[in-house]
Amino acid sequence: MDRTIFIETSNVTKFNTAISTLESVDNGEQGFALVYGQAGRGKTETSLTYQARNGGIFLRVRQSWTQNAFLTALSNKMYLKPARSSAACKDRIIDRLNVEPQTIYVDEADRLHVGRIEDLRDIHDETGVPIVLIGERELHGVLGERRRLWSRVKHSVEFEPVAEEDVAILASDAAGLNVDPEACALIVKKADGDFRLVWTLLAGLEKVARTRQTELVDAKMVNAVAKKTLTWRR
């Protein structure tokens, strides 16, 4: 399996369109983008790929971050000198972004205390830089309950379950497999739309296909591989 393969799914297309619009200086829609959906649907990989191609600051949240820990982690990503207080740290971040504007991507944002999202609101309000919040469905509810936060969300992108056509393309590009339509549908069902589990199934299918010296994958093969590789799932 070639794990470096990245395919542009419908989710990726929606994400790219939303963020490029948010970043456009001509659209007049500066603010937040909310990227949400069930774990395993490719949100992080999509965000990292876009950020690698277009620049920006990518920060992955750790559980139970205090204000100081959060702002320090963000300032470290910007290579700023340590500050004596959270307020001073925020000021340094704002000063740098006013000179060098960059999109800020916050992954696992559903783990953040709402106060940290308010910190991001302050940063956005004083710099105008786009803020991309990435997380699970709960994040939508947190923002939706607070008008002053939700009013700043200009784009909302929900990552849907992986599509059957995406499975076929990924199997071909990453593993050289020819997966028939019935098998693609079964892979989506077994993986519950989760891209990570699709990769797991395809890795197992590739091994079986090589053993059998074939590139063809049918539903029977998918059932056999899923029974072995997804035994922990109910």
Side-chain angles (χ1 to χ4, degrees), residues 31-102:
F32 285 31
L34 168 62
V35 181
Y36 69 101
Q38 182 177 305
R41 291 187 176 171
K43 302 182 299 296
T44 298
E45 191 64 30
T46 299
S47 304
L48 281 168
T49 299
Y50 186 95
Q51 181 258 345
R53 293 172 178 172
N54 298 281
I57 302 160
F58 191 95
L59 179 66
R60 184 184 183 279
V61 172
R62 290 186 179 178
Q63 190 68 35
S64 302
W65 258 350
T66 63
Q67 182 185 40
N68 184 64
F70 171 66
L71 292 172
T72 297
L74 182 56
S75 67
N76 287 342
K77 288 286 184 177
M78 300 169 68
Y79 303 104
L80 297 174
K81 293 181 180 179
R84 294 183 178 179
S85 67
S86 295
C89 189
K90 188 187 292 187
D91 286 341
R92 289 187 181 183
I93 291 169
I94 289 168
D95 289 344
R96 172 63 62 84
L97 290 173
N98 276 323
V99 175
E100 301 176 17
Q102 297 184 75

Side-chain angles (χ1 to χ4, degrees), residues 35-39 43 108 110 134-140:
V35 181
Y36 69 101
Q38 182 177 305
K43 302 182 299 296
E108 306 271 6
D110 51 290
I134 307 149
E136 296 192 29
R137 185 174 296 275
E138 293 82 359
L139 182 60
H140 189 288

Side-chain angles (χ1 to χ4, degrees), residues 1-180:
M1 288 283 290
D2 184 354
R3 291 280 181 171
T4 65
I5 293 294
F6 182 82
I7 63 171
E8 184 154 328
T9 66
S10 57
N11 286 327
V12 174
T13 300
K14 288 191 298 183
F15 177 94
N16 290 349
T17 299
I19 307 308
S20 61
T21 302
L22 192 69
E23 292 179 327
S24 172
V25 295
D26 301 322
N27 66 32
E29 286 290 313
Q30 293 179 331
F32 285 31
L34 168 62
V35 181
Y36 69 101
Q38 182 177 305
R41 291 187 176 171
K43 302 182 299 296
T44 298
E45 191 64 30
T46 299
S47 304
L48 281 168
T49 299
Y50 186 95
Q51 181 258 345
R53 293 172 178 172
N54 298 281
I57 302 160
F58 191 95
L59 179 66
R60 184 184 183 279
V61 172
R62 290 186 179 178
Q63 190 68 35
S64 302
W65 258 350
T66 63
Q67 182 185 40
N68 184 64
F70 171 66
L71 292 172
T72 297
L74 182 56
S75 67
N76 287 342
K77 288 286 184 177
M78 300 169 68
Y79 303 104
L80 297 174
K81 293 181 180 179
R84 294 183 178 179
S85 67
S86 295
C89 189
K90 188 187 292 187
D91 286 341
R92 289 187 181 183
I93 291 169
I94 289 168
D95 289 344
R96 172 63 62 84
L97 290 173
N98 276 323
V99 175
E100 301 176 17
Q102 297 184 75
T103 300
I104 299 175
Y105 301 83
V106 183
D107 193 25
E108 306 271 6
D110 51 290
R111 291 172 137 191
L112 283 176
H113 184 278
V114 69
R116 308 294 72 77
I117 300 178
E118 291 284 5
D119 287 325
L120 289 167
R121 181 178 69 86
D122 289 340
I123 291 169
H124 164 73
D125 287 354
E126 296 194 41
T127 66
V129 301
I131 307 290
V132 183
L133 299 175
I134 307 149
E136 296 192 29
R137 185 174 296 275
E138 293 82 359
L139 182 60
H140 189 288
V142 170
L143 296 177
E145 290 173 356
R146 294 162 176 81
R147 181 175 294 180
R148 64 184 179 187
L149 292 176
W150 188 251
S151 66
R152 287 165 173 78
V153 177
K154 305 303 180 182
H155 297 275
S156 179
V157 180
E158 181 177 8
F159 269 55
E160 305 287 349
V162 61
E164 294 169 20
E165 54 267 32
D166 297 333
V167 171
I169 294 170
L170 185 62
S172 176
D173 291 355
L177 298 175
N178 181 3
V179 184
D180 71 37

